[in-house]
Amino acid sequence: MGTETAGKKKPKGPKGEVHITDELCKGCGFCIEFCPLHILAFSDKFNSKGYHPPVIIDESRCSGCDLCGLYCPDFAIYGVKFK
């Protein structure tokens, strides 16, 4: 009876998500540069310090690898893997 699930593929969808704290961001762009899936870009909006924080342009492709968080010197962003 285990053969019913053997041929089925897992549904595709996001494997993780990114959390951004706009007010901590100083707009260095490290998270954007080092994202392996290129899901981040600079926002058109400014935070209270006058910097452009990142925005997520394609949330469905996030793997939750947290490279964005590892490179962020201000701890303004981090990624989380779904289980």
Side-chain angles (χ1 to χ4, degrees):
M1 292 196 175
T3 58
E4 291 177 13
T5 58
K8 292 185 181 179
K9 292 183 180 180
K10 249 184 166 178
K12 288 193 175 193
K15 295 178 184 175
E17 63 187 3
V18 176
H19 298 271
I20 303 167
T21 307
D22 290 348
E23 291 306 312
L24 294 177
C25 180
K26 67 177 181 192
C28 68
F30 290 160
C31 58
I32 296 168
E33 181 70 28
F34 291 105
C35 176
L37 299 174
H38 308 289
I39 65 164
L40 300 169
F42 281 112
S43 171
D44 292 336
K45 299 177 184 175
F46 293 99
N47 64 14
S48 65
K49 299 174 193 171
Y51 298 115
H52 293 281
V55 291
I56 305 162
I57 55 174
D58 192 354
E59 192 173 313
S60 67
R61 292 181 42 223
C62 180
S63 69
C65 68
D66 193 35
L67 280 178
C68 54
L70 291 172
Y71 283 103
C72 181
D74 299 307
F75 305 101
I77 188 169
Y78 64 94
V80 179
K81 273 195 191 287
F82 295 146
K83 292 185 179 193

